[in-house]
Amino acid sequence: MQQALFQDDAVHLAARVLMDGMNDMVLDYAIPADMNGVARGSRVEVPLRSRSTTGTVINLVEPDAEWGHRLKPLTRLIDDTPAVSPQLMDLAEWAARYYAVPVEQMIRCIVPEPVRRERHEEKTRKVAVLLKWPDDDTLNKINARAPRQAAVLRYLHNGESKREPLADLGGTAALPACRALESKGYIRIEEEAVHRDPAGNEEFAPSAPLELNEEQAAALESIIAACDKAESQPMLLQGVTGSGKTEVYLQAAAHVMKSGRGVLILVPEISLTPQTMARFKSRFADTPGAVAILHSAMSDGERFDEWHAIHRGRARIAIGPRSALFAPVQKLGLIIVDEEHDSSYKQENAPRYHGRDLAVLRARMEGATVVLGSATPSLESLHNVNCGKYTMLRMEKRADGQRLPLTRVLDMRSEPKDKRNLGILSERLRMAIEDRLHKGEQTILLLNRRGFARALQCPDCGHVVACEHCALPLTYHATENRLICHLCGFRAVVPRSCPECHEKNILLEGYGTQKVERVLRNCFPKARLQRVDADVTARKNALRDILADFRAHRIDILLGTQMISKGLDFPGVTLVGVLNADLGLCIPDPRAAERTFQLLTQVAGRAGRGDIDGEVIIQTYTPHAAAIQYARRHDTDGFAENELGLRRQFNFPPYRHLAVLTVRSPQEELADFSLRTLHKRLLAVLPPGMEITDPAPAPIAKAHGQFRFQCTLNALSARNIADIVSREISRLNVGDDITITLDIDAYSFM
Ligand code: ADP
Ligand code: ZN
């Protein structure tokens, strides 16, 4: 609490407060003389006009000489220790400027909703604690007069902890007996906070550290050395899938925790990586409460409890997806960003920050070490290694001594279009699956994206049935027998004939997981097959249960979308098939090749983790694409070199920063006109070296009932783009039916 005030100053200084929920409205308030501990980052309650609201103290300031004495006083200091540490306050301010968003939006990420609303005050329960155990004589007397009191005493005495929840002693019925015992000094009744643990009903058996191989030991040694020196030069741990990165994380975390500091572990969306969470819970099972999980699917109460457990320093290790980057870990010593290349680290709505990039910044601000881990690092991080900004740690061997799987690329153009498999399954892949079924080995089949191209297309006029609101092709879902828009959720019945030319031939084009499932069931009627996609996993814990079944070999073939490519480890899998590798290569996105390479390499890493070598079969219509060929050879360095060359040539990231400026409105002309105006003004003030594309309809030209127009900015400095564009946006007087967004370091160009 370096900013805590001296008693004397408190009367003089005012608190500058950022109001909740009012885009960066800032007001000064007097600090009442009897209110101690108000500091930067404190949460406070303040009067605003005739009502009361909450906010965050962003600074302590000299009050204005003339007006200072008229300031209204703060009503209440919400927490003893500031909710937002000075470093996180700095991070919020830095990020707000970099991503051109109000500071309030960043504070909202740091102090999550349930904590802001204070709604979910910790629940408490009554517990009885045994203070004194009577001698036999006394106990007999008690038993004779008040058998219930004797029973309570015995129950407490027999328990190991000598304290039991009142509910277990008979609830309110036992209260009079307990009160009587309390007045005689035998027991004490206490209020105890009940911590809502999101993993509460799961048991984690403690796990011992593994003996590291040479590569792991070297990586761990470098990480520990950096942690001990509080060195903040980021480290990139590039380790092939199965090289045992998680074990290195675990031992590094244990070291940092032992030295009394905290650890933050970021993972891609956590429901897809339950194994990582379980491995941390297990390793630290001996220290109950040491590991806190932050999770988007958690209830408000759970989030409230976990946040406070971390804030108080009770939980020393916090694990979570992107947003956990703001977790109030005390005395932060180490940040790990697992699968650092994963695009889920970029937030796709405001504030559009990048979790990995802010993690690097936070580490620097807090003097913590940061480790970015991946088998297929992002080109941004590899570029930073090339520039000497990051240190590279490499692990090239699989921890279990396995060889990387043999990968074949199959040209689907030369496959006969067989009626039975509808061009979904090549003969080669079919035979390979058959072979695994024979031997009792397991197969993973990957299909890119849910509901891909199960569009309804008329073979006569070519008309594609599209969403009324988004103009995008609707996707057919067999379970509901409905057409669904994946952007806005619009649902429509399936037309009997073409809405354009009224021919009756209209049919399903392309395929999704459900169609592949049907083909597979026809080919392998006896196989135990499980489909995994967003439809199936909508039910809570469905994914976890399916993965447990697969691990226990109650499933032969797992068919799924991207979500099965992440961080999974199944020794029984010897075959991985990629059904449609090219999908994702033909979208307007500078990272399309990188993503495809990463996906193929990651999924290939799932094959052959047991004693048997793995095989990977990639089906594609573009077999010579660089992303596919380098992935076939597991050549991450080769791909990176080749792709970085192209990126430099086209002025793409990581050499330049790209930002997407989007204007949306329900009125098409209005959106178009506003962007044109903004574009014209930007052209007039554009500094040399900054480029802007001409305004155009976005690839997704209409979504959620709004027309979308966009242009892309390209510059060496992202900050320059943010400053200039946000200044021009604020000068533009637009009405309520126009939304303008600026996505700095954009990852989506649709
Ligand atoms: P990565 O995260 O790099 O893909 P994992 O950490 O999942 O790799 O490790 C792959 C497998 O190797 C796991 O089953 C893990 O338990 C095992 N493993 C890791 N390190 C060792 C080691 N030093 N000795 C034996 N097995 C190990
Ligand atoms: Zn739609």
Side-chain angles (χ1 to χ4, degrees):
M1 272 217 291
Q2 75 200 62
Q3 317 245 346
L5 297 171
F6 297 110
Q7 203 60 40
D8 277 351
D9 290 348
V11 232
H12 302 303
L13 283 183
R16 182 151 291 169
V17 178
L18 179 68
M19 303 295 168
D20 285 351
M22 277 170 264
N23 259 348
D24 275 11
M25 183 159 93
V26 170
L27 289 173
D28 289 354
Y29 287 90
I31 302 171
D34 59 349
M35 193 184 282
N36 297 320
V38 177
R40 183 167 178 241
S42 290
R43 299 275 301 151
V44 290
E45 201 175 295
V46 298
L48 182 68
R49 293 188 206 101
S50 58
R51 57 194 187 87
S52 168
T53 184
T54 50
T56 311
V57 177
I58 53 169
N59 246 327
L60 299 175
V61 295
E62 275 314 325
D64 186 277
E66 213 173 314
W67 297 97
H69 65 283
R70 294 212 203 165
L71 290 180
K72 284 190 189 163
L74 299 173
T75 322
R76 183 165 74 96
L77 175 63
I78 292 174
D79 35 25
D80 309 332
T81 17
V84 188
S85 67
Q87 293 98 331
L88 281 175
M89 222 47 214
D90 289 343
L91 184 69
E93 281 166 12
W94 189 95
R97 177 147 180 225
Y98 186 90
Y99 293 107
V101 294
V103 185
E104 211 268 323
Q105 278 189 10
M106 297 311 307
I107 300 276
R108 214 180 294 187
C109 300
I110 295 175
V111 188
E113 203 56 29
V115 179
R116 287 157 77 89
R117 280 186 285 132
E118 295 177 83
R119 278 251 184 87
H120 299 268
E121 293 288 2
E122 274 173 297
K123 276 218 213 98
T124 57
R125 60 177 182 184
K126 286 192 166 59
V127 289
V129 186
L130 185 67
L131 299 176
K132 183 167 87 184
W133 176 238
D135 57 42
D136 287 357
D137 233 21
T138 323
L139 188 63
N140 282 336
K141 274 184 207 150
I142 298 174
N143 200 12
R145 262 185 299 120
R148 184 150 212 156
Q149 290 180 27
V152 167
L153 284 174
R154 269 190 229 107
Y155 188 82
L156 287 170
H157 180 65
N158 292 337
E160 207 176 302
S161 61
K162 312 290 177 214
R163 58 185 290 141
E164 303 290 344
L166 215 63
D168 294 356
L169 295 168
T172 42
L175 199 54
C178 289
R179 291 261 187 254
L181 285 169
E182 189 178 34
S183 66
K184 282 182 256 176
Y186 286 114
I187 70 168
R188 186 172 58 229
I189 301 172
E190 290 179 355
E191 292 280 332
E192 179 188 80
V194 184
H195 183 78
R196 285 156 290 199
D197 183 348
N201 45 15
E202 274 178 79
E203 288 277 327
F204 295 95
S207 74
L210 298 173
E211 187 164 333
L212 300 182
N213 64 34
E214 243 170 69
E215 287 186 331
Q216 286 174 309
L220 179 67
E221 197 181 313
S222 307
I223 295 169
I224 285 180
C227 291
D228 289 347
K229 281 185 288 180
E231 191 173 306
S232 57
Q233 162 125 320
M235 304 180 135
L236 179 65
L237 176 58
Q238 178 175 343
V240 296
T241 36
S243 58
K245 294 184 288 294
T246 313
E247 186 61 34
V248 174
Y249 303 153
L250 285 164
Q251 298 197 16
H255 174 87
V256 171
M257 204 170 92
K258 227 179 287 156
S259 73
R261 285 173 299 159
V263 182
L264 181 58
I265 294 138
L266 301 182
V267 293
E269 181 46 50
I270 201 158
S271 57
L272 307 182
T273 50
Q275 286 183 33
T276 311
M277 183 202 85
R279 282 164 82 176
F280 273 89
K281 278 273 185 190
S282 291
R283 182 60 55 86
F284 299 98
D286 290 339
T287 327
V291 179
I293 307 289
L294 298 160
H295 194 310
S296 54
M298 272 162 48
S299 72
D300 281 0
E302 288 167 342
R303 278 164 67 198
F304 183 90
D305 290 352
E306 292 288 77
W307 191 90
H308 280 288
I310 299 167
H311 189 239
R312 286 201 200 106
R314 204 171 73 80
R316 314 304 312 278
I317 299 180
I319 306 184
R322 177 182 68 226
S323 58
L325 130 82
F326 301 108
V329 176
Q330 302 297 305
K331 287 194 272 173
L332 190 61
L334 174 65
I335 304 181
I336 290 162
V337 184
D338 189 24
E339 309 287 356
E340 64 92 27
H341 65 278
D342 198 277
S343 51
S344 72
Y345 284 120
K346 170 77 174 174
Q347 177 145 305
E348 288 301 347
N349 44 39
R352 295 176 170 76
Y353 66 87
H354 199 297
R356 176 200 59 219
D357 297 350
L358 287 189
V360 169
L361 187 73
R362 180 170 180 194
R364 194 163 75 211
M365 287 175 165
E366 306 216 10
T369 297
V370 59
V371 177
L372 313 178
S374 175
T376 51
S378 64
L379 292 182
E380 279 79 3
S381 296
L382 288 170
H383 177 64
N384 281 326
V385 170
N386 293 344
C387 301
K389 285 190 198 155
Y390 291 6
T391 308
M392 173 74 107
L393 308 172
R394 294 189 79 130
M395 303 201 301
E396 324 227 341
K397 287 200 297 284
R398 286 169 71 146
D400 42 15
Q402 275 283 307
R403 270 174 297 167
L404 285 168
L406 180 67
T407 303
R408 291 174 214 284
V409 174
L410 237 150
D411 187 350
M412 290 300 278
R413 292 174 305 185
S414 54
E415 269 304 297
K417 294 278 172 293
D418 188 315
K419 271 267 180 321
R420 256 183 326 145
N421 63 30
L422 306 146
I424 288 173
L425 202 57
S426 63
E427 187 53 21
R428 167 110 228 169
L429 182 53
R430 195 192 61 74
M431 279 164 52
I433 298 173
E434 191 108 299
D435 179 50
R436 296 316 186 286
L437 288 171
H438 255 320
K439 295 194 206 146
E441 296 168 12
Q442 291 174 293
T443 299
I444 289 180
L445 293 177
L446 178 82
L447 184 72
N448 227 339
R449 199 163 112 205
R450 152 172 105 135
F452 156 60
R454 272 174 298 174
L456 217 52
Q457 188 173 33
C458 173
D460 292 309
C461 74
H463 175 73
V464 176
V465 181
C467 173
E468 290 176 14
H469 309 284
C470 303
L472 271 185
L474 291 170
T475 302
Y476 178 69
H477 285 250
T479 40
E480 297 181 40
N481 192 29
R482 282 281 184 286
L483 294 166
I484 300 179
C485 172
H486 280 242
L487 225 69
C488 74
F490 172 75
R491 282 169 156 72
V493 294
V494 182
R496 296 278 175 85
S497 58
C498 175
E500 274 298 300
C501 72
H502 308 293
E503 277 295 332
K504 292 234 176 357
N505 280 334
I506 191 148
L507 46 74
L508 288 175
E509 199 48 61
Y511 54 88
T513 38
Q514 295 176 22
K515 187 161 180 183
V516 176
E517 182 182 8
R518 233 175 300 130
V519 169
L520 289 170
R521 287 203 192 277
N522 281 336
C523 285
F524 314 107
K526 294 216 182 78
R528 291 166 299 174
L529 171 73
Q530 176 65 54
R531 168 167 65 90
V532 181
D533 58 16
D535 293 337
V536 172
T537 56
R539 182 174 66 77
K540 200 180 172 189
N541 292 337
L543 182 61
R544 202 192 61 195
D545 296 346
I546 290 172
L547 295 180
D549 277 352
F550 192 54
R551 184 178 305 280
H553 208 148
R554 287 189 286 266
I555 296 168
D556 300 312
I557 304 173
L558 194 66
L559 163 68
T561 51
Q562 286 88 317
M563 65 175 72
I564 59 171
S565 72
K566 290 183 191 177
L568 306 175
D569 177 10
F570 301 108
V573 175
T574 56
L575 173 67
V576 169
V578 181
L579 296 171
N580 55 348
D582 347 57
L583 195 92
L585 277 179
C586 40
I587 53 169
D589 186 325
R591 292 185 186 83
E594 180 182 350
R595 281 209 197 102
T596 302
F597 174 81
Q598 286 161 346
L599 179 66
L600 294 180
T601 309
Q602 294 279 340
V603 77
R606 309 291 147 230
R609 285 198 159 196
D611 320 319
I612 316 158
D613 281 349
E615 183 182 2
V616 179
I617 296 177
I618 298 174
Q619 301 187 157
T620 173
Y621 287 90
T622 53
H624 299 296
I628 291 172
Q629 284 303 324
Y630 283 110
R632 180 177 72 77
R633 298 198 291 269
H634 309 284
D635 185 0
T636 304
D637 293 345
F639 175 75
E641 197 187 320
N642 179 68
E643 183 69 12
L644 279 173
L646 292 171
R647 298 278 186 91
R648 185 196 288 277
Q649 185 184 333
F650 291 111
N651 272 340
F652 281 152
Y655 296 96
R656 311 263 296 188
H657 292 272
L658 288 184
V660 173
L661 177 62
T662 309
V663 175
R664 290 174 289 154
S665 172
Q667 291 164 268
E668 188 168 7
E669 298 90 271
L670 205 57
D672 188 15
F673 176 77
S674 306
L675 184 60
R676 277 177 201 290
T677 312
L678 193 54
H679 178 260
K680 215 182 300 165
R681 294 193 188 173
L682 282 169
L683 274 183
V685 295
L686 222 55
M690 193 183 293
E691 288 158 21
I692 186 168
T693 60
D694 286 339
I700 297 172
K702 194 181 176 197
H704 308 285
Q706 294 200 312
F707 292 91
R708 310 164 83 240
F709 288 83
Q710 72 186 31
C711 45
T712 305
L713 291 112
N714 181 322
L716 271 174
S717 152
R719 198 127 182 202
N720 250 343
I721 301 180
D723 288 353
I724 291 169
V725 177
S726 52
R727 195 179 58 218
E728 291 307 319
I729 290 176
S730 66
R731 281 180 188 164
L732 200 69
N733 248 331
V734 291
D736 285 345
D737 48 355
I738 291 185
T739 316
I740 304 180
T741 56
L742 178 64
D743 186 0
I744 299 282
D745 294 338
Y747 273 66
S748 167
F749 297 80
M750 305 294 271

